[in-house]
Amino acid sequence: MVKPTLTFSLVTVPDVVGLRRLHGLPTDLSDEEVAEYAYQRRRANGAGDSLPPHQQRVVHIAALLRTGDQLRYVSLAGDEADILQAFNALLAEAEQLVEWSRPFGLEVLSAAPILNCRALLWQLAAVPELPMIDLAACLAAPLAPAMLPLHEMATLARLPLRQEMSLDEIWQTFMGGDRERIDVLNTARLLSLHLLWLRYGLLKGQLDSAACLQEFALLRQTLQNSPLAHLQAYLADWSAASD
């Protein structure tokens, strides 16, 4: 029996409300200027282009919950507190979490510290502590997981994920109001991660060939049964690449 698993991918943007408060910035600065101020401070300190976990606001989480004989797709967007609360509810049904940390230069953007910091700031109730598996770290060891971009592994595995949005692209897309594009790209990231996770289970002997094929079939069925256009599009691309 497959262990109840929550595979997920999250998207964050600069917490401009918090950054205004943190740095005492004037109210007439635009959100873009506030974010750029924070990025410039990080660059001046040699910390690169990513903000620390507590300064990032979660704007989307795409997740697949595998329990019993079911696989459920969940897309969480809207207010950050609502996203995190709904995600916590999913955690109660799982026994382990699977993510793929995002490489940004030599830095690695992992979900765990972001989720912990932001949940604490929103005073959310405690949730069970679950094992967090970073598939990038598992595959890249002993190298840094930043050496292993998900979209490159997916492309080599003939999975439909051709790009990863950079921090700046995510921020510009969010500020432009195109939340649907964020949902679509993050979901494609999630689905490719899930398929690589299944292959990893085969690699490590956690799944045999028959069980792995059953999991592939379950994902296909889940996508087929969904009315969402971007899930149907992913399925079509995946099927075409497998031919």
Side-chain angles (χ1 to χ4, degrees), residues 13 29 66 69 71 101 119 138 143-144 146 148 166-167 182 212 219 229 233 240:
V13 298
L29 285 183
R66 178 69 175 90
D69 60 354
L71 180 66
S101 55
C138 292
L143 302 174
L148 201 61
S166 68
L167 286 171
I182 289 175
C212 190
L219 178 59

Side-chain angles (χ1 to χ4, degrees), residues 27 33-34 36 65 69 105-106 112 125 133 143 151 165 193 208 240:
T27 57
E33 290 171 323
V34 170
E36 183 57 29
L65 180 62
D69 60 354
L106 297 178
I133 301 168
L143 302 174
H151 73 284
M165 285 194 293
L193 165 57
D208 60 24

Side-chain angles (χ1 to χ4, degrees), residues 93-204:
E93 302 182 56
E95 294 181 9
Q96 64 182 5
L97 300 172
V98 177
E99 69 154 337
W100 188 293
S101 55
R102 293 176 182 267
F104 290 110
L106 297 178
E107 298 184 18
V108 174
L109 187 61
S110 180
I114 296 172
L115 292 170
N116 288 334
C117 288
R118 302 305 295 186
L120 185 147
L121 293 177
W122 284 109
Q123 302 181 67
L124 296 182
V127 296
E129 289 290 333
L130 301 177
M132 176 82 80
I133 301 168
D134 179 357
L135 187 53
C138 292
L139 291 171
L143 302 174
M147 302 295 292
L148 201 61
L150 175 56
H151 73 284
E152 292 189 6
M153 280 295 292
T155 299
L156 291 173
R158 302 178 69 187
L159 299 176
L161 182 67
R162 295 292 178 263
Q163 62 177 310
E164 286 262 52
M165 285 194 293
S166 68
L167 286 171
D168 184 62
E169 288 170 330
I170 291 172
W171 177 231
Q172 294 304 320
T173 301
F174 181 82
M175 290 302 298
D178 194 354
R179 312 296 171 83
E180 182 178 353
R181 175 173 168 79
I182 289 175
D183 187 338
V184 169
L185 291 178
N186 196 37
T187 295
R189 188 178 194 275
L190 164 74
L191 295 173
S192 293
L193 165 57
H194 181 72
L195 286 167
L196 290 174
W197 168 246
L198 294 177
R199 294 189 185 198
Y200 183 74
L202 185 64
L203 176 71
K204 304 300 287 186

Side-chain angles (χ1 to χ4, degrees), residues 31-48:
D31 287 352
E32 293 92 337
E33 290 171 323
V34 170
E36 183 57 29
Y37 175 84
Y39 284 133
Q40 290 289 356
R41 284 178 60 93
R42 293 282 287 174
R43 295 180 192 120
N45 293 326

